[in-house]
């Protein structure tokens, strides 16, 4: 008869520490988001050059941005459903292929209409980045680590915004703006191969230890939610759904303004050109990176200290929102350094707020049921194309 360790006096072995396989997933999501924002920001960075070559007015440029955002908004809803159906692995691959091909197509455009069509396709593809990334985080992380994981991969948006003004002007100086679109797009396809090779659901990953899988699955799903399931009608009846939608509706357009109009603002207010945008934009988006990670870290830290997910997220989001208020003074600041610090603080607050906001759906709603039979056919078709 085997006696318990306590009865025999034998020391109890310490519990196995979870591995770090899940952080490889975050690294992949981070890299994809970097690519996403390089592709997204290039048009804004090249606006002065393209406006001069094609004789665009500010209204023409605003129209291009409008159709990108409209396409993004519609496709965001569509891709959320598609990724739930086919899974994060193949759903992410699909959205990546669409947006990267659309990005390359910018290099072939020769007028306002063609740029608009390329931008519409880019918006449709890029809309799947965050739904796929958030689903991957929900699959691979327990609730108390999700905001930090989201903060890290969301920081890729700011790294992409840093890389763009450093790399793109160099390519344009050596070749031209068309080459910049094609080169950055072709190189980005390396990520797709890494994603398809490395990403699996935790239960399907043969490199994942049992201890890490137990750590990932340590959260229990609310019995009420588990019974109701993630049906659309049930989701739309929840207060939490509309709180999330309202918060996104109010905050996302602010980030778009920074992303698409900040180079233009710096050019008009401080006389910067394509070669001078780099240092100010790098400083602003480095601060954004810090804010994204810090915002996610703060709520995760509060949860580890015993606060509930609801209170932890709200405290972190309130602190981040307070950082945005000084940006009201940015248009009247006379010095470039002061303007960069004020704008950088605002973007840092926005990204910390977003890191927590984007984590809420995985806190509130359960994972969807197993994909239907036709999702297998879609996966096989994508694999054959690859």
């Amino acid at each position: 008869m085997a006696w318990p360790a306590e009865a025999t006096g034998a020391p109890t072995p310490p519990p196995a520490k979870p591995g770090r396989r899940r952080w490889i997933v975050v690294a992949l999501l981070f890299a994809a988001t970097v690519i996403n924002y390089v592709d997204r920001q290039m048009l804004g960075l090249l606006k002065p050059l393209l406006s001069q070559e094609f004789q665009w007015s500010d209204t023409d440029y605003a129209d291009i941005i409008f159709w990108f955002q409209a396409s993004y908004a519609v496709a965001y809803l569509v891709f959320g459903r598609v990724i739930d159906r086919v899974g994060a692995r193949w759903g992410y691959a699909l959205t990546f292929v669409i947006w990267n091909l659309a990005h390359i197509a910018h290099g072939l455009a020769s007028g306002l209409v063609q740029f608009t069509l390329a931008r519409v396709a880019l918006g449709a593809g890029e809309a799947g980045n965050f739904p796929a990334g958030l689903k991957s985080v929900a699959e691979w992380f327990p609730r108390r680590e999700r905001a930090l994981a989201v903060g890290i991969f969301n920081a890729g948006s700011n790294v992409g915004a840093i890389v763009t003004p450093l790399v793109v002007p160099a390519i344009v100086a050596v070749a031209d703006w068309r080459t910049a679109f094609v080169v950055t797009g072709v190189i980005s396809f390396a990520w797709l191969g890494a994603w398809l090779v490395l990403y699996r659901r935790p239960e399907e990953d043969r490199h994942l230890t049992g201890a890490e899988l137990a750590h990932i699955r340590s959260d229990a799903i609310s019995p009420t939610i588990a019974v109701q399931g993630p049906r659309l009608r049930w989701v739309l009846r929840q207060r939490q759904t509309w709180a999330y939608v309202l918060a996104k509706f109010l905050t996302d357009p602010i980030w778009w303004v920074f992303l698409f109009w900040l180079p233009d603002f710096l050019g008009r207010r401080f006389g910067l050109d394509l070669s001078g945008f780099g240092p100010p934009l790098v400083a602003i988006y480095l601060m954004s990176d810090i804010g994204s990670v810090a915002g996610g870290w703060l709520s995760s830290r509060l949860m580890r200290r015993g606060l509930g997910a609801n209170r932890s997220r709200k405290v972190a989001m309130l602190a981040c929102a307070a950082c945005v208020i000084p940006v009201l003074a940015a248009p009247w600041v006379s010095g470039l350094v002061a303007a960069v610090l004020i704008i950088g603080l605002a973007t840092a607050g926005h990204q910390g707020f977003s890191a927590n906001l984007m984590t809420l759906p995985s806190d509130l709603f359960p994972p969807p049921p197993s994909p239907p039979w036709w999702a297998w056919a879609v996966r096989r078709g994508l694999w054959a194309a690859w």
Side-chain angles (χ1 to χ4, degrees):
M1 178 178 177
W3 294 94
E6 293 83 354
T8 60
T12 303
K17 291 185 178 179
R20 302 211 172 257
R21 182 75 176 175
R22 63 196 184 281
W23 297 105
I24 295 177
V25 173
V26 171
L28 289 169
L29 301 179
F30 174 87
T33 306
V34 170
I35 296 169
N36 185 283
Y37 270 75
V38 168
D39 296 353
R40 189 178 302 189
Q41 201 197 18
M42 275 185 63
L43 188 67
L45 185 69
L46 295 171
K47 176 186 178 291
L49 180 63
L50 296 175
S51 294
Q52 183 177 4
E53 180 171 337
F54 295 107
Q55 298 301 304
W56 291 347
S57 65
D58 283 348
T59 302
D60 293 331
Y61 177 70
D63 287 341
I64 295 175
I65 300 306
F66 168 80
W67 288 111
F68 169 84
Q69 292 176 298
S71 171
Y72 188 98
V74 173
Y76 202 87
L77 296 173
V78 174
F79 265 111
R81 190 67 171 172
V82 168
I83 290 165
D84 274 345
R85 291 290 186 173
V86 304
R89 183 170 181 249
W90 289 109
Y92 218 148
L94 175 63
T95 187
F96 182 87
V97 169
I98 293 173
W99 101 55
N100 214 39
L101 290 178
H103 172 74
I104 293 173
H106 283 69
L108 308 176
S110 58
L112 182 64
V113 173
Q114 292 179 354
F115 268 100
T116 301
L117 292 175
R119 210 67 186 169
V120 167
L122 181 71
E126 287 199 341
N129 181 72
F130 283 101
L134 296 174
K135 181 176 177 65
S136 303
V137 168
E139 288 182 347
W140 274 88
F141 285 85
R143 184 180 302 172
R144 61 186 176 275
E145 292 181 346
R146 287 177 191 167
L148 178 58
V150 171
I152 293 172
F153 96 72
N154 184 51
S157 61
N158 306 302
V159 172
I162 291 169
V163 169
T164 307
L166 295 178
V167 172
V168 173
I171 299 175
V172 173
V174 173
D176 54 28
W177 64 264
R178 296 184 184 276
T179 303
F181 280 108
V182 175
V183 168
T184 53
V186 170
I187 292 174
S188 298
F189 272 109
W191 178 89
L192 182 61
W195 174 257
L196 291 175
V197 169
L198 295 174
Y199 188 86
R200 298 290 189 278
R201 293 182 69 250
E203 291 81 3
E204 300 167 354
D205 193 323
R206 59 189 178 87
H207 299 289
L208 187 68
T209 65
E212 187 168 8
L213 180 60
H215 176 75
I216 292 169
R217 296 291 177 253
S218 59
D219 288 332
I221 296 175
S222 166
T224 302
I225 294 178
V227 171
Q228 294 287 350
R231 296 176 182 175
L232 180 60
R233 285 182 297 175
W234 178 82
V235 170
L236 293 177
R237 287 199 298 265
Q238 308 307 306
R239 290 189 311 173
Q240 298 93 323
T241 298
W242 294 104
Y244 177 78
V245 169
L246 180 61
K248 291 289 284 182
F249 180 81
L250 293 174
T251 58
D252 276 13
I254 307 304
W255 184 248
W256 296 106
V257 169
F258 285 128
L259 192 68
F260 292 127
W261 290 98
L262 190 54
D264 191 63
F265 168 77
L266 294 174
R268 296 189 185 200
R269 184 70 179 82
F270 300 104
L272 303 181
D273 56 15
L274 185 62
S275 61
F277 288 143
L281 291 178
V282 168
I284 289 169
Y285 289 113
L286 275 175
M287 293 177 69
S288 303
D289 264 336
I290 296 171
S292 180
V293 177
W297 172 86
L298 177 58
S299 65
S300 296
R301 178 74 174 177
L302 293 173
M303 289 179 68
R304 283 196 294 271
R305 290 197 165 195
L307 268 69
N310 181 52
R311 180 171 294 184
S312 297
R313 304 279 189 246
K314 287 179 179 177
V315 169
M317 292 166 75
L318 178 61
C320 292
C323 295
V324 179
I325 297 173
V327 80
L328 294 171
W332 291 276
V333 172
S334 59
L336 176 61
V337 173
V340 166
L341 291 176
I342 291 173
I343 296 170
L345 179 64
T347 57
H350 185 285
Q351 290 295 277
F353 187 96
S354 295
N356 285 281
L357 181 62
M358 289 189 295
T359 308
L360 289 179
S362 63
D363 289 343
L364 300 172
F365 304 112
S370 300
W373 64 269
W374 55 263
W376 179 86
V378 172
R379 293 192 194 105
R380 295 295 297 176
L382 289 171
W383 176 251
W386 169 252

